[in-house]
Amino acid sequence: MSRKPRLRSGSGVTMHDVGLAVGVSAITVSRALYSPERVSDTLRSKILEAVDRLGYVPNRSARALASARSQTVLVLIPSLTNTVFIDTLAGIEDVLRPAGYQMLIGNTHYSAGEEMQLLRAYLEHQPDGVLVTGLSQPPEFAQTLERQGIPAVYMMDLTADGRRCVGFSQEDAGEAITRHLLERGRRRIAFMGAQLDERVLKRLDGYRKALRAAGRYDAALEDLDPAPSTMQMGADALTRLLQAHPDCDAVFCCNDDLAIGALAACQRLGLAVPQRMAIAGFNDLQPAGWVTPPLTTVATPRYRIGTEAARLLLASIAGEADAVTCHDLGFTVMPRASS
């Protein structure tokens, strides 16, 4: 009678060997490694200890052939240096890793063309699913995924077009922080924007909506620069705005980097914050609460977006239907001393 071959790792140790060391079957070892929710925490700890002791290395190629899955997820983000996306990646990893999945990370550099090229290139690795930032992809992006039968979840924003998404309304957040400045008695509120990706432009739309409703909108108070944001850019823009519009009494910056730069410029120019100039940022990065004065901003659920998007994608890969395709995690206006 022929025996079923045992799957070997790169080290020569098999799941069967690990199972013998613990007193369980190779199938139980496989479940502990790739479907940890199907075994107890105590048993999984024993199996992982045996894996480390014996030097077992999972053979991903063999597993992919057996399961028709690669156990990989493609994650497309626009920047590897922006803290916003680093936090999101941390959330994604904290869900995927215990489930036996690895990330393939593609940096799109805020370019739709690069995003499409990366998708085509990484499809050669047969990812089981895709996590993608934003909603502005060309039609061929979704068409390519549909032809390949690969599920996708879109992060950072919301849509009603049927795509699975996890995020919050960028426009509503921009409107809310602008209303906060209006409620603080500000009347000449400027907007400072950098990078000008789709999320920044939606925050700008929210800013415009709030000011138009209050009868306070002035297009001349918008300072928009497509270059990547820096604190220096924020300082320069604040100086430029005040030279052109000395009656400006508040500024909503599209992110905290710009806002911290604007705050520094006010200090250099001897402008009291918030008495003379109110400043608000966006994202509530760690420095926002530590600058002087602490920065008013919008807290965004970056880590939770990563975890919830990863969970939704794993459910989609498993064929589990979700009644809610778009998950709104909301945002929080953080009033601090700068406004």
Side-chain angles (χ1 to χ4, degrees):
M1 182 177 69
S2 62
R3 273 188 194 173
K4 185 176 181 179
R6 297 184 298 174
L7 292 180
R8 290 190 172 273
S9 72
S11 63
V13 179
T14 68
M15 282 190 186
H16 180 73
D17 297 329
V18 176
L20 284 176
V22 181
V24 299
S25 68
I27 292 176
T28 301
V29 174
S30 177
R31 287 173 179 165
L33 294 175
Y34 301 112
S35 303
E37 72 281 357
R38 300 180 66 184
V39 300
S40 69
D41 291 341
T42 300
L43 179 55
R44 185 167 187 263
S45 295
K46 290 180 180 179
I47 290 171
L48 292 178
E49 187 277 330
V51 165
D52 290 340
R53 177 164 44 84
L54 297 175
Y56 173 75
V57 180
N59 187 327
R60 298 188 68 83
S61 297
R63 176 167 172 79
L65 289 172
S67 67
R69 288 183 182 168
S70 66
Q71 298 298 122
T72 61
V73 165
L74 172 59
V75 184
L76 295 172
I77 59 171
S79 172
L80 288 174
T81 59
N82 189 324
T83 302
V84 170
F85 304 112
I86 294 172
D87 291 345
T88 304
L89 284 173
I92 294 169
E93 184 185 32
D94 284 351
V95 171
L96 293 185
R97 181 170 40 79
Y101 278 82
Q102 299 294 325
M103 288 191 291
L104 302 172
I105 301 174
N107 182 1
T108 69
H109 299 97
Y110 293 92
S111 166
E114 280 197 51
E115 188 172 57
M116 197 65 221
Q117 290 174 5
L118 285 167
L119 176 64
R120 293 194 184 102
Y122 276 111
L123 285 180
E124 296 179 6
H125 297 273
Q126 299 181 316
D128 295 328
V130 177
L131 293 169
V132 57
T133 305
L135 301 166
S136 61
Q137 297 75 22
E140 62 181 313
F141 187 95
Q143 292 165 3
T144 299
L145 290 174
E146 187 174 355
R147 284 196 299 268
Q148 298 291 326
I150 298 175
V153 174
Y154 297 79
M155 303 181 294
M156 295 293 176
D157 212 335
L158 306 176
T159 180
D161 64 8
R163 283 181 286 178
R164 298 179 185 90
C165 61
V166 177
F168 62 97
S169 172
Q170 301 280 344
E171 182 176 348
D172 288 354
E175 182 180 3
I177 190 68
T178 306
R179 283 203 312 267
H180 163 77
L181 293 171
L182 287 166
E183 290 164 2
R184 291 295 176 95
R186 306 297 163 165
R187 294 296 177 261
R188 295 285 288 165
I189 304 172
F191 180 89
M192 286 165 40
Q195 193 69 61
L196 306 188
D197 60 81
E198 60 176 311
R199 289 167 295 285
V200 169
L201 294 179
K202 287 181 179 180
R203 294 167 204 168
L204 175 59
D205 286 341
Y207 157 88
R208 290 169 173 168
K209 182 178 179 181
L211 289 183
R212 282 173 175 146
R216 296 286 176 180
Y217 177 64
D218 181 354
L221 292 176
E222 296 177 0
D223 190 284
L224 307 177
D225 190 332
S229 70
T230 64
M231 294 181 192
Q232 183 64 56
M233 181 186 292
D236 293 343
L238 190 282
T239 303
R240 190 165 55 244
L241 275 167
L242 284 176
Q243 288 173 346
H245 307 283
D247 60 341
C248 175
D249 60 3
V251 58
F252 164 31
C253 303
C254 76
N255 61 40
D256 289 346
D257 286 348
L258 292 180
I260 291 172
L263 182 61
C266 285
Q267 293 169 343
R268 188 175 65 240
L269 295 169
L271 300 177
V273 176
Q275 293 84 353
R276 168 63 183 84
M277 175 68 68
I279 298 175
F282 200 95
N283 278 320
D284 196 24
L285 302 184
Q286 188 174 9
W290 292 92
V291 294
T292 302
L295 181 65
T296 292
T297 186
V298 176
T300 57
R302 305 176 297 276
Y303 178 83
R304 278 193 64 212
I305 288 173
T307 59
E308 294 304 312
R311 290 190 182 107
L312 181 57
L313 184 64
L314 289 180
S316 301
I317 291 170
E320 299 172 4
D322 192 325
V324 180
T325 59
C326 211
H327 294 242
D328 185 354
L329 302 186
F331 58 87
T332 304
V333 173
M334 305 291 289
R336 296 194 181 108
S338 71
S339 63

